[in-house]
Amino acid sequence: MLTADLARSRTTDETITPLFIGPDEKRYRQTARELIQLFENHLGEPKGNLEDAIDKLTIADTDYKIVQGLAKLLKDECEFEVVAAVDPREIRRRLFEKANERYPIVRQPTLGEDTQKLEVYSAVADDLGVSLEECYRGMYADLEDNKRLVRIGTRTAAQYASDDDTSTSTTNLTGSSDAEYEHTDLTVDWLLTRYNLALAQAVLYDATEMRIRVWDHFGTVCSYVKLFGLMHRIYPIDADGERVPSTDQAAGYEAVLDGPASLFSKSQKYGIRMANFLPALPLCDRWEMVAEILVDETTGATRQFALDHTEDLDSHYSAGDQFDSDVERTLTRKWERANTDWELVREDDVFDLGAEVMIPDFAIEHLDGRRAILEIVGFWTPEYLDAKLEKIRKVEADNFVLAVSEQLDCASEEFGSAADRVLWFKTGIHVYDVVDLAEQYATEMPQSEEQA
């Protein structure tokens, strides 16, 4: 994504709008083409050399933010590695020890016992069994500017490619979780459309609330909402986007997402999650988004940011449905290693709560036909927690069980009829604790559901 200093938007008294570029404009296509070629020409070279080349291109172009923004997105697709014959820390240790033994080190000897710098490097290189050049280059190979560009997109520098190297580079979304990507080779069209999406993402760093409406692929969108741990409320809507009393009348769904600026303590990590969710929306054929963006922390003034499917934004995310939040993903991995007859599966049912709906996280199913529904209650603001508790109390299902973080300010009795079906956890959920809950509260699946 773009850093805040590379964002480009226009703010009026009422709205804030990203300054999108025209992907078909000749000057932008030329800039994108030059940047892609520049990166490819620097495969195998130090990162500092690449940065210098980008700066030179920037100086020659009047659109500083655009050039640097496009370059930032290309760097997100790169892999830089420390390339040295020996660990740079070991080279430095040996050099400093050797230099200390032969102090003082001089460039031009004036006395017979003076030691030149070259002699120290040569001695250490011999000790390590590497060439003098490898010793010299390797000393500071772990500095950021000295790391080598070993991969850009699907292209790997020849000297660093292995025979079975078939992997592709992807951008790390959350810092701790990998999402599925529809990765393509880096092209001019890819870079320019990705840039417009990144401009829209940057506006959302200061969102206080986002409202989305989707009329298709809602399961995929909801998966990404949960992947990024976004607090949400979901309502059924008709074809015109108006809320309806029940899911029976629904043509789509509206989700209200709380943004990072609405938290008591604004979290940069949460802001990145909000922005990273945005590419899920272009996976839908028809979608709308309206967000409130904080523009003045002192007065609390906000501006409205609106987007929809007519902007022709493209997504680089996968439309697959296997996504997890940090806690859910960890539970899934633990479950795969556990010895149990119960299976943890993604839940795609919708609890109809009247004016709202609720989509639980998992179903826990046994081969004998028993089934429980699991909802994980994690990172929420007090206001959102109150609303969530109200929704949970409306769920009328005897096989509905909960895993609740002890960090939340709530008690079992606040979960209504589900109070006896709450599993409290500190940092992670234990598989066999969930299995015990399922054993107690799972019910027989309807015959038609088992056959399906």
Side-chain angles (χ1 to χ4, degrees):
M1 291 193 301
L2 298 178
T3 51
D5 61 305
L6 296 177
R8 299 171 61 251
S9 60
R10 178 184 293 110
T11 302
T12 68
D13 290 341
E14 298 180 352
T15 65
I16 182 168
T17 307
L19 295 176
F20 293 137
I21 63 175
D24 295 326
E25 287 192 39
K26 184 177 180 179
R27 57 172 174 157
Y28 298 134
R29 297 187 69 82
Q30 179 63 25
T31 299
R33 188 176 297 108
E34 290 178 2
L35 275 170
I36 293 172
Q37 187 63 55
L38 185 150
F39 272 74
E40 292 179 345
N41 290 343
H42 282 77
L43 270 173
E45 294 191 17
K47 185 177 182 181
N49 292 0
L50 173 63
E51 295 286 5
D52 289 343
I54 294 171
D55 289 342
K56 289 180 181 178
L57 182 61
T58 303
I59 293 172
D61 196 302
T62 56
D63 294 319
Y64 169 85
K65 282 191 174 183
I66 295 178
V67 176
Q68 288 290 332
L70 293 171
K72 170 60 171 64
L73 297 179
L74 285 172
K75 280 185 280 188
D76 286 345
E77 296 296 322
C78 291
E79 290 181 18
F80 297 92
E81 292 183 0
V82 175
V83 178
V86 178
D87 187 333
R89 293 171 296 182
E90 179 63 16
I91 297 177
R92 289 195 292 270
R93 185 183 69 81
R94 298 282 191 104
L95 284 169
F96 295 151
E97 287 178 351
K98 189 73 69 174
N100 187 57
E101 292 172 4
R102 301 189 181 189
Y103 180 85
I105 307 298
V106 297
R107 291 182 180 275
Q108 295 294 330
T110 57
L111 300 175
E113 63 271 18
D114 282 348
T115 302
Q116 294 189 70
K117 182 178 178 181
L118 181 61
E119 294 176 34
V120 175
Y121 274 102
S122 297
V124 170
D126 290 341
D127 291 343
L128 293 173
V130 298
S131 69
L132 179 60
E133 182 180 1
E134 287 174 328
C135 181
Y136 183 77
R137 290 184 178 275
M139 183 181 182
Y140 293 114
D142 53 348
L143 294 182
E144 195 63 32
D145 278 352
N146 293 336
K147 291 180 180 179
R148 301 277 171 160
L149 175 58
V150 299
R151 187 191 297 275
I152 167 66
T154 57
R155 287 195 58 194
T156 302
Q159 62 267 45
Y160 308 120
S162 59
D163 293 338
D164 60 349
D165 188 359
T166 58
S167 61
T168 60
S169 171
T170 59
T171 306
N172 190 325
L173 289 184
T174 66
S176 59
S177 303
D178 290 329
E180 295 183 32
Y181 280 71
E182 294 290 357
H183 185 82
T184 59
D185 287 333
L186 306 183
T187 64
V188 170
D189 288 329
W190 172 88
L191 181 56
L192 295 179
T193 54
R194 180 73 176 273
Y195 178 70
N196 280 341
L197 182 63
L199 288 175
Q201 288 177 289
V203 175
L204 294 173
Y205 293 160
D206 294 313
T208 60
E209 182 183 84
M210 178 195 290
R211 292 175 179 268
I212 62 172
R213 298 186 181 93
V214 297
W215 285 267
D216 53 83
H217 297 87
F218 182 72
T220 297
V221 172
C222 188
S223 294
Y224 276 107
V225 168
K226 293 185 176 182
L227 168 66
F228 296 114
L230 297 173
M231 296 171 285
H232 58 281
R233 299 179 296 278
I234 302 172
Y235 307 90
I237 57 174
D238 61 20
D240 297 322
E242 299 296 327
R243 293 181 185 176
V244 292
S246 71
T247 56
D248 293 339
Q249 306 171 42
Y253 290 97
E254 176 186 42
V256 181
L257 313 178
D258 289 335
S262 70
L263 304 178
F264 289 138
S265 177
K266 183 177 176 181
S267 165
Q268 183 180 14
K269 183 177 180 180
Y270 196 81
I272 293 173
R273 291 181 181 183
M274 174 68 76
N276 266 310
F277 163 74
L278 180 63
L281 293 177
L283 294 173
C284 304
D285 296 326
R286 182 189 174 194
W287 59 275
E288 299 173 354
M289 183 216 75
V290 177
E292 293 296 325
I293 310 299
L294 183 67
V295 294
D296 190 325
E297 292 186 7
T298 303
T299 64
T302 63
R303 297 292 185 271
Q304 193 172 87
F305 171 35
L307 276 180
D308 61 31
H309 58 277
T310 63
E311 294 288 351
D312 291 329
L313 296 178
D314 287 335
S315 177
H316 52 289
Y317 287 179
S318 167
D321 57 1
Q322 298 301 314
F323 312 107
D324 306 287
S325 68
D326 291 345
V327 174
E328 293 166 356
R329 186 180 61 259
T330 300
L331 176 61
T332 301
R333 290 175 177 172
K334 288 180 179 179
W335 208 286
E336 291 172 352
R337 299 191 299 267
N339 182 20
T340 175
D341 292 331
W342 291 88
E343 181 182 3
L344 185 73
V345 298
R346 265 296 177 191
E347 175 55 37
D348 57 5
D349 289 350
V350 175
F351 282 147
D352 189 344
L353 307 180
E356 293 186 66
V357 300
M358 178 176 169
I359 302 178
D361 295 312
F362 294 104
I364 311 165
E365 299 178 352
H366 197 280
L367 293 175
D368 64 11
R370 288 177 294 160
R371 188 172 192 260
I373 305 297
L374 173 65
E375 174 73 5
I376 298 175
V377 184
F379 173 57
W380 289 326
T381 59
E383 297 88 350
Y384 185 75
L385 178 60
D386 289 341
K388 187 69 173 182
L389 288 171
E390 184 178 353
K391 290 174 67 174
I392 288 173
R393 287 191 290 266
K394 293 179 181 178
V395 175
E396 298 178 357
D398 294 334
N399 65 340
F400 181 54
V401 299
L402 298 151
V404 183
S405 171
E406 292 183 357
Q407 299 179 25
L408 295 175
D409 184 18
C410 59
S412 295
E413 55 268 21
E414 295 182 71
F415 291 91
S417 61
D420 295 332
R421 293 173 256 135
V422 175
L423 168 64
W424 296 92
F425 67 91
K426 292 184 178 180
T427 57
I429 304 171
H430 297 293
V431 171
Y432 297 108
D433 291 339
V434 179
V435 168
D436 288 343
L437 269 183
E439 291 282 5
Q440 294 181 62
Y441 299 107
T443 58
E444 295 288 336
M445 286 187 285
Q447 189 67 26
S448 58
E449 189 173 347
E450 290 185 66
Q451 293 173 349

